[in-house]
Structure formats: structure tokens, C-alpha cells
Amino acid sequence: MNFNYRVILKFLGILLLMNGGFMLFCLPFSIYYGGNDMYALLLASGSALLAGLVLFLLTRNGTNDDLRKKDGYLIVTLGWLFMSSFGCLPYIFSGAIPDLTDAFFETLSGFSTTGASILTDIESIDKGILFWRSLTQWIGGMGIIVLTVAILPLLGVGGMQLFVAEAPGISPDKLAPRIKETAKRLWIIYCTLTALELILLWSGGMTFFDAFNHSLTTMATGGFSTKNASIAYYHDPFIQYVIIVFMFLAGTNFTVTYLGLHGRLGKVFKNEEFKFYLIFCVAASIAIGLIIFRSGHDIFEKSIRDALFQVVSLVTTTGFVTHDYTSWPPFVTIIFFLLMFAGGCTGSTAGGVKLARHLLLIKNSFQELKRILHPSAIIPVRFNGKAVNRDITFNVLAFIMIYILVMCFGAMAVSSFGIDFNTSLGAVAATLGNIGPGIGTVGPADNFAHLPTGVKWVLSFLMLVGRLELFTVLILFTPYFWKRV
């Protein structure tokens, strides 16, 4: 048999059961705030639970539970699609987003932690539905961490070289010898940081509901807000600085965070990707802050704060905004567009290319110059003091090349619907990089609601491809994947 369909369907059934269970967590908010979404949530949850139970019961008996690589690719991709397909039911049943295309787009944007939205009046949505919207991002954020540590290594998408699909590259230290224990520790870190941010935001003046939602979407680097103006609604510097700190932590490799929490700061600051991440964010923020201050933007501290917030938000692919950066000098807008291709650290909830890939590409480019001068010399690329296998370098080069090609074809596909150049490029960069707001008519002051139906499906595909690190999805479109071995 080419695929173990019983195992595939069993996994999908478990995911739907989890999906339906998470929907029930939204009911207390629906009841407390007296919304009209309670029955919609119950019906959507019941639908997901029933479908998941049927799949699980039909496949529970059997002797062959082996998970092959091909099965894994299907489970990962179909899992995100199944979760999104059933996850959009609360929007449809409640009437918050009655259109299927829009509901699916919003849901996949949640589970992929992209943060691109079609909602034009977020504050009018019932609280239970709003909480589900935020919860989809939190689920997706943790899901991608566990996925890249526990599942994708088994598929061989770069091995455990850089938390695999999150960043094919250099072997990280495992948090624990067993995958189960590793996933457990990651969950503890993720939940602890979410709870800590909730407490800080609540004590800083947010309502409990808003603090809870923003904590969920910050740690997921998703960027869904309960306010139409996003974080710009809150003028309190304390709230903005708290979110900056937790966006930065969410974009940090969770292995590094684990080491930091256990006082092993020496290893934290020896990590080349983390140092690059820290210096990159600080340098870019100071440079942009000075530019917008000199252009007449408010006081100095606010200029630096706005610049720091937007840089960290874009680099970590969170997508929160405190200011419409497209209204700043054009040079700054170009810088922010380039930041969309940065990505956070490997093994984090951030999307994008990832800084480790950029760092490895830069190192390899300089080494190539040395090899030209000394063709007989063996000059390996080193990362964290270790020589990087050439296969890993080729994998990174292939990823970046495919990323560029996907973006080019995506922009052409979007522009074929009559969308202008800036919007086409901005929308594709924002969705493929799982960022949220882009440039053009999908910038921080706008959203994706006005785009044609066909464009939304193209962008939905790009969100999925970008979130699952290209190879995991694109391999399904190759003929040899479907050949019987």
C-alpha cells in the first residue's frame, strides 16, 4: 500500500476532536457577555466532535500503526486544512462571517498565525467568536512548535538539523531525549509566558478579556486584536512595551528561551542566531526611530518606541501595529517591506524565511569568496562553532530560491485579477511570510476584505505553504510523491 490511510484518518480524527474541544472554551465568554453566538459555538463544536469521533472510531482497530514519511506529509497538510475547514463553522453559524471564502480565509489566517483579516468592524463581533478567533492563533502557534519538533523530524525534512521544517539547518540541542518530554516542556514554556503576559497586560489597564486575547495572539506571533485599531488603540507605553517584550520572546528559539529560564545565559548569548536576532532588531529600530523623529514624528521616545514596536512586530511576523508605517517616509516603508522577508528564529512561533537561513546564506557567500581565492582549501561554513554539512547549505539555498519563486508566481496570480502592483506584492509577501498587514491597499490601515474571491483563495494557499515551510506542502504537487513504491 502506498499510504497508510487508516493512520492518516485516525490522526485527522484526533485533530478534529481537539478542535471541537477547544471551541467549548469560548462558551464562558459568550455566556458572560450575553452574546448571540452560544448556539453557533455549540453547533460548530458538535460538528467537529462528531466528525472527529466518526473518523477515530472507524480507524481505531488495526495492527499497522506505522507512520511513513508520505503519510506524515499528508497528515501535516491535511491537518491544517481540516482544522481550518471545521474551524470556520463558528463564523458561518453565528453570521459573523457568512461567506465561506471569507470565513475560511479568516480561520486559516488564524491557524497559520498570519493575522490577515477580512473583518472591517472587529469590535462589533460577539465575544465568544472573538475569543475563538484569537484561540485559533494560539493553537496554531503551539501546533507549529510541536509539529517541527515532534513530527517533521520523522519525515526527514532536513532532519533535526534546525528544528526541521521550521529551519532546515544546524543541529540544535534537544530539550529532552524523548520527543514526548520535549513537547511537554515546550507546552509549559508557551503556557507560562502566555499567562505572564496576561497578568501584565491586565495590570496595565486592559480588560481581562482584551488582555487574554492579546496574550494568546502575541505568543502565537499571530497579531489578531480585539480592536479595530490594533495596539494603536492603547496609548499606554507600558502596554506597548510589554507586547514588544513578549513578541520578541515568541520570536526566539524556544530552546534558547528554555536555557534562559534555567539561568544558562552563557549558552543563550553564544547562540549565533539569537545574537543576530537581538542586534538586528535593536539596530533597525534605532535607525528607523531616528529617521521618523527627524521627519517630524512626535517626541524622541515615542519615535523609538513606534519604530521598535513595528520592527519587532514585522521581524517576528506578529503583525500588530501602533502606527501606519506606510505613512512614514518612503525609505522607511521600503525597509519595512524588506523586513517582511526576515522571519524570527528557528524553533519559534514566527513565520517567514527565518534568520538562521539568512545568517547561513551570508556566511556561505563570504566563504565562497575565500574559496575563489583558495580553490584547493577546505573552508567549511560554521554555525555556533560547528561545521555545517554542505547538504544543509544546499537545502537552505533551495528553500530561499523556492520562496522567491513562489512569491513571484503568487504576485502574478494576484495581479491577474486586476490588483495593482504594490497591493499584489504586499499581499503575497504578508501571507507567504505569515505576517498579516502588508503594503498597498492591504497595509496597516486597511485589510483584505475588498479583495476578489479568487485572490483570497490564492492568498489562503500561500498562508498554508508559508506556515508549513514550503517543502511540506509543495512536495504533494510532485508526481513522484504519488507513485507507488
Side-chain angles (χ1 to χ4, degrees):
M1 182 183 291
N2 200 26
F3 296 100
N4 192 336
Y5 292 106
R6 194 186 68 81
V7 172
I8 294 171
L9 293 176
K10 182 177 181 179
F11 267 95
L12 294 177
I14 292 172
L15 287 175
L16 290 182
L17 287 171
M18 294 172 59
N19 208 17
F22 275 117
M23 289 179 192
L24 296 177
F25 291 164
C26 306
L27 289 177
F29 295 100
S30 175
I31 296 170
Y32 179 80
Y33 287 100
N36 298 315
D37 52 353
M38 184 178 68
Y39 293 109
L41 288 167
L42 284 172
L43 182 58
S45 174
S47 301
L49 290 172
L50 179 61
L53 185 62
V54 169
L55 287 176
F56 183 78
L57 291 177
L58 289 176
T59 57
R60 73 184 189 282
N61 295 321
T63 57
N64 183 14
D65 272 342
D66 294 335
L67 180 66
R68 305 183 184 93
K69 283 187 178 181
K70 286 188 175 183
D71 302 331
Y73 289 117
L74 280 177
I75 289 171
V76 170
T77 304
L78 291 178
W80 250 257
L81 290 174
F82 269 58
M83 292 279 281
S84 298
S85 297
F86 280 85
C88 71
L89 294 181
Y91 297 122
I92 295 174
F93 291 159
S94 67
I97 310 178
D99 182 75
L100 174 62
T101 297
D102 286 346
F104 184 83
F105 181 93
E106 193 79 13
T107 310
L108 185 55
S109 180
F111 280 119
S112 65
T113 72
T114 300
S117 181
I118 55 83
L119 291 175
T120 55
D121 187 6
I122 298 169
E123 295 171 33
S124 67
I125 304 297
D126 287 328
K127 294 297 192 289
I129 298 297
L130 271 186
F131 188 76
W132 170 243
R133 181 171 176 262
S134 300
L135 192 58
T136 57
Q137 292 202 325
W138 194 79
I139 297 167
M142 190 65 251
I144 202 67
I145 290 294
V146 174
L147 175 74
T148 54
V149 175
I151 298 178
L152 291 174
L154 303 178
L155 307 184
V157 187
M160 268 301 283
Q161 298 152 322
L162 252 190
F163 277 113
V164 201
E166 275 294 280
I170 305 85
S171 299
D173 294 327
K174 294 181 182 179
L175 302 185
R178 293 182 299 168
I179 286 173
K180 182 179 178 180
E181 186 64 21
T182 299
K184 177 183 175 182
R185 293 185 182 187
L186 290 172
W187 266 108
I188 292 173
I189 294 172
Y190 193 63
C191 293
T192 301
L193 290 177
T194 303
L196 181 59
E197 186 184 3
L198 164 60
I199 293 169
L200 290 173
L201 291 179
W202 191 16
S203 65
M206 277 192 182
T207 66
F208 177 81
F209 180 78
D210 288 343
F212 201 170
N213 279 267
H214 286 99
S215 300
L216 295 176
T217 57
T218 301
M219 285 311 303
T221 63
F224 275 160
S225 175
T226 55
K227 302 299 181 183
N228 294 327
S230 188
I231 307 304
Y233 177 89
Y234 302 97
H235 302 289
D236 188 343
F238 175 79
I239 288 177
Q240 294 181 9
Y241 280 122
V242 166
I243 293 176
I244 289 171
V245 169
F246 281 91
M247 284 194 296
F248 185 84
L249 289 174
T252 302
N253 188 318
F254 270 53
T255 305
V256 173
T257 303
Y258 176 83
L259 294 173
L261 291 173
H262 284 74
R264 299 165 71 180
L265 297 180
K267 282 199 170 185
V268 170
F269 289 101
K270 284 182 181 179
N271 184 282
E272 290 189 41
E273 185 187 29
F274 178 75
K275 288 191 295 184
F276 183 51
Y277 175 48
L278 178 61
I279 295 170
F280 183 78
C281 287
V282 171
S285 300
I286 292 174
I288 293 171
L290 291 174
I291 291 173
I292 61 178
F293 177 68
R294 292 187 64 184
S295 67
H297 177 75
D298 296 313
I299 59 177
F300 181 74
E301 184 276 332
K302 190 175 188 308
S303 297
I304 296 296
R305 176 168 25 106
D306 282 345
L308 179 61
F309 191 100
Q310 294 309 146
V311 166
V312 174
S313 182
L314 283 179
V315 170
T316 62
T317 71
T318 305
F320 280 142
V321 294
T322 55
H323 200 282
D324 181 6
Y325 52 77
T326 60
S327 67
W328 290 341
F331 178 66
V332 174
T333 303
I334 292 174
I335 294 176
F336 278 130
F337 178 72
L338 294 177
L339 289 178
M340 293 182 184
F341 299 92
C345 296
T346 58
S348 72
T349 58
V353 175
K354 300 296 188 301
L355 291 173
R357 289 194 181 103
H358 290 296
L359 191 55
L360 196 59
L361 183 64
I362 293 169
K363 283 173 170 277
N364 185 64
S365 299
F366 279 107
Q367 294 298 67
E368 281 299 320
L369 295 176
K370 293 181 182 179
R371 294 185 189 110
I372 291 173
L373 293 174
H374 307 284
S376 300
I378 300 175
I379 309 174
V381 176
R382 294 187 176 276
F383 193 93
N384 288 334
K386 299 179 181 178
V388 179
N389 190 296
R390 295 287 288 178
D391 290 341
I392 297 172
T393 305
F394 293 148
N395 187 289
V396 170
L397 292 173
F399 179 93
I400 292 175
M401 179 57 68
I402 294 173
Y403 194 96
I404 294 171
L405 288 174
V406 171
M407 179 164 175
C408 290
F409 282 112
M412 287 191 288
V414 171
S415 64
S416 69
F417 287 87
I419 307 300
D420 66 272
F421 176 79
N422 284 347
T423 302
S424 296
L425 207 58
V428 170
T431 50
L432 183 61
N434 305 125
I435 296 162
I439 59 174
T441 61
V442 292
D446 303 285
N447 66 11
F448 294 72
H450 64 282
L451 297 177
T453 297
V455 172
K456 290 172 183 172
W457 284 109
V458 171
L459 297 180
S460 295
F461 175 74
L462 293 176
M463 285 191 280
L464 180 67
V465 171
R467 180 69 278 183
L468 298 182
E469 299 284 326
L470 305 185
F471 299 130
T472 312
V473 177
L474 296 181
I475 198 172
L476 303 183
F477 294 89
T478 58
Y480 49 83
F481 177 82
W482 301 97
K483 287 183 179 178
R484 185 177 295 274
V485 179

